[in-house]
Amino acid sequence: MMNERGIGIVELLVGTLLALLVLGALTAAVAVGARLVVAGGARGEAEDTAQLAVEAFTFDGRRAGYDPSAAGIEAIVQARPDGVTFGADLDGDGVVDATSEEQTAYACSAANQRLSRIIGRQSLPLADGVTACALRFFDTTGTAMAVPAAGLGTADRARIRAVALDLTLVPTALHGATARTVLVALRSGG
């Protein structure tokens, strides 16, 4: 005959152990899902950051050299492998105000792993986690110009017809890089 006293201690322990194993497996699955969500969010943020940096660069590059009063405004005020300064006479007074948005610079800082946009005296970080950032300059024939570390002189800057930004960043939560390259043609006059 069967013992009708109820569930014994051994059965309770086995049942508890099975429940703990199922709970552990579910917790591990939720943890993996959470890590995937975080990684996906970091990837999306990196892609957005790189795209916004490229768009800002393109915007400023396209208006460089705007000169409605034909005063002879320099489109490129400074050209270095790690930085460029654009000039534009946005208010039409014949002068580029270096303390306003009429002079906009981009600086790649390897030491800080940052791409910055500098407007007047205000530095705005565009992208952090930058692992590679370089500027290339092209003349009227589309040939890449050799740029010394000190930058190009006035005569060489006047020959620039396009500027390229090569940007690669790796956010701390990701293993894969996000890269963008943009080539911006400068306006040929006014």
Side-chain angles (χ1 to χ4, degrees):
M1 289 217 170
M2 292 186 122
N3 186 356
E4 297 192 21
R5 290 185 343 193
I7 299 175
I9 190 83
V10 174
E11 289 89 1
L12 276 174
L13 287 174
V14 169
T16 303
L17 180 63
L18 289 174
L20 286 174
L21 287 174
V22 169
L23 185 61
L26 288 174
T27 302
V30 168
V32 167
R35 282 193 298 272
L36 287 174
V37 167
V38 168
R43 167 67 62 203
E45 184 177 348
E47 294 288 339
D48 286 348
T49 298
Q51 188 61 35
L52 289 172
V54 164
E55 287 178 13
F57 183 83
T58 301
F59 175 78
D60 290 327
R62 286 187 178 156
R63 70 180 184 177
Y66 180 67
D67 189 6
S69 61
I73 300 298
E74 271 188 294
I76 306 287
V77 178
Q78 185 178 44
R80 296 184 332 265
D82 64 347
V84 63
T85 303
F86 298 117
D89 182 17
L90 302 178
D91 60 8
D93 66 355
V95 179
V96 173
D97 181 3
T99 63
S100 74
E101 198 171 352
E102 289 185 328
Q103 184 167 305
T104 305
Y106 286 81
C108 298
S109 173
N112 296 327
Q113 293 187 327
R114 177 176 290 157
L115 172 66
S116 296
R117 181 179 187 228
I118 303 159
I119 300 174
R121 293 185 189 111
Q122 184 178 12
S123 178
L124 309 165
L126 283 181
D128 285 322
V130 173
T131 58
C133 182
L135 292 153
R136 295 177 289 136
F137 303 91
F138 300 89
D139 64 14
T140 55
T141 64
T143 304
M145 300 172 69
V147 182
L152 294 174
T154 305
D156 286 331
R157 288 194 314 266
R159 293 183 20 238
I160 297 172
R161 290 296 171 262
V163 181
L165 170 67
D166 301 309
L167 178 67
T168 303
L169 55 106
V170 179
T172 54
L174 293 179
H175 300 290
T178 296
R180 293 283 190 287
T181 295
V182 63
L183 178 66
V184 179
L186 302 177
R187 62 178 58 241
S188 57

